[in-house]
């Protein structure tokens, strides 16, 4: 579907992109899970001495934040994939509605 000025939409490509994002979301979820498991396997890798405690005070909160961010990537991919699929449907619907409106102008008014 294209419009004057060069705007063009390929709904089938939008749907394909949505499917690819679903696969990326699955992979991101797996990576986040592997990272969480690795971090939980060694709960205090920095040690319990003064240097380790100093390191923990500075870096553990940032590491936890990073893990939350990695977990959020999967959801972001899924949301964007859903948006692409919805856009494809909206474009197809708008195209069909426009075609029906044009075709309706060809039919004589039967009310009169």
């Amino acid at each position: 579907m294209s419009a004057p000025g060069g705007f063009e939409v390929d709904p089938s490509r939008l749907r394909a992109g949505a499917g690819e994002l679903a696969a990326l979301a699955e992979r991101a979820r797996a990576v986040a899970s592997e990272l969480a498991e690795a971090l939980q396997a060694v709960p205090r890798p920095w040690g319990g001495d003064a240097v380790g405690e100093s390191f923990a005070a500075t870096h553990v909160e940032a590491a936890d934040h990073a893990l939350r961010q990695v977990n959020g990537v999967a959801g972001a991919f899924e949301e964007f994939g859903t948006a692409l699929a919805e856009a494809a449907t909206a474009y197809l619907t708008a195209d069909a509605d426009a075609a029906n409106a044009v075709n309706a102008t060809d039919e004589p008014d039967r009310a009169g």
Side-chain angles (χ1 to χ4, degrees):
M1 186 169 121
S2 64
F7 184 80
E8 188 173 314
V9 174
D10 183 344
S12 61
R13 287 185 68 194
L14 282 177
R15 286 188 195 281
E20 290 174 20
L21 286 166
L24 287 174
E26 184 177 323
R27 178 65 184 135
R29 192 168 283 112
V31 167
S33 177
E34 290 173 26
L35 177 60
E37 288 175 16
L39 292 174
Q40 290 171 359
V42 185
R44 293 178 58 149
W46 51 84
D49 60 1
V51 173
E53 292 300 320
S54 175
F55 178 87
T58 304
H59 298 307
V60 170
E61 186 177 327
D64 290 343
H65 176 72
L67 183 58
R68 286 191 302 274
Q69 294 292 87
V70 169
N71 281 319
V73 168
F77 280 143
E78 287 176 341
E79 287 177 22
F80 190 56
T82 298
L84 287 179
E86 289 172 354
T89 298
Y91 283 118
L92 289 170
T93 300
D95 191 45
D97 290 348
N100 289 337
V102 169
N103 289 334
T105 61
D106 289 340
E107 296 176 11
D109 186 11
R110 298 190 193 257

